[in-house]
Amino acid sequence: MPRRAITSLLLVSALVTLSALAGCKKDEPAPAKPANVTKVAATEIVGRRVDVTASEKGFTPNDVRLKKGEATTLVFTRTSDDTCADAVVIKDLKIERKLPLATEVAIQIPAGEAKTYEFACGMGMFKSKIVVE
Ligand SMILES: [Cu+2]
């Protein structure tokens, strides 16, 4: 291979690496869901559906805003094995649910009164909240 061809190959791979690195720095709203997620039955979704991802970063979003009076169902999906968020606990609602990997778990949230419900993993980490306002 001529030297010039090798040089331009090196340049191209350097550019590709650089753009890949730049791509990593973008703030992504939520980690991508795995392709083969076990979906929740449509009958379990009451009112508006809000998706929450449980990953190594914790819960995304971790500040869920709901409208007072609007029935809402949170649908949790754990996307990573590398997280202790394998359960969700909403103490005020006495709800504790396991989050199997890549399996949607629906939790209906009472929206009758303006209130903040804190939720976290089974050990009380990744503190997050649902605000009905
Ligand atoms: Cu934890």
Side-chain angles (χ1 to χ4, degrees):
M1 213 186 269
R3 184 173 290 246
R4 236 189 329 182
I6 291 171
T7 309
S8 53
L9 253 182
L10 281 175
L11 259 176
V12 166
S13 49
L15 278 175
V16 167
T17 309
L18 270 176
S19 51
L21 282 174
C24 285
K25 281 181 187 161
K26 270 185 209 157
D27 270 334
E28 283 175 47
K33 280 193 177 189
N36 49 347
V37 170
T38 305
K39 306 275 186 211
V40 76
T43 49
E44 284 191 59
I45 309 291
V46 177
R48 186 160 71 102
R49 173 187 174 129
V50 176
D51 280 276
V52 179
T53 300
S55 73
E56 60 280 355
K57 294 175 192 159
F59 297 103
T60 312
N62 62 7
D63 183 343
V64 182
R65 301 279 159 159
L66 308 185
K67 276 187 209 135
K68 187 183 163 193
E70 183 182 44
T72 305
T73 303
L74 298 191
V75 178
F76 288 84
T77 309
R78 179 160 65 91
T79 59
S80 171
D81 258 331
D82 186 22
T83 179
C84 70
D86 58 359
V88 57
V89 178
I90 313 174
K91 259 192 196 148
D92 291 333
L93 297 174
K94 296 190 171 68
I95 289 172
E96 183 165 357
R97 296 283 297 274
K98 287 268 168 230
L99 299 177
L101 185 67
T103 305
E104 292 182 348
V105 173
I107 300 178
Q108 291 162 23
I109 305 299
E113 55 175 327
K115 204 175 167 178
T116 298
Y117 302 102
E118 295 190 340
F119 67 99
C121 75
M123 294 170 304
M125 291 148 56
F126 296 132
K127 285 203 187 303
S128 309
K129 60 185 175 178
I130 302 156
V131 182
V132 182
E133 56 190 1

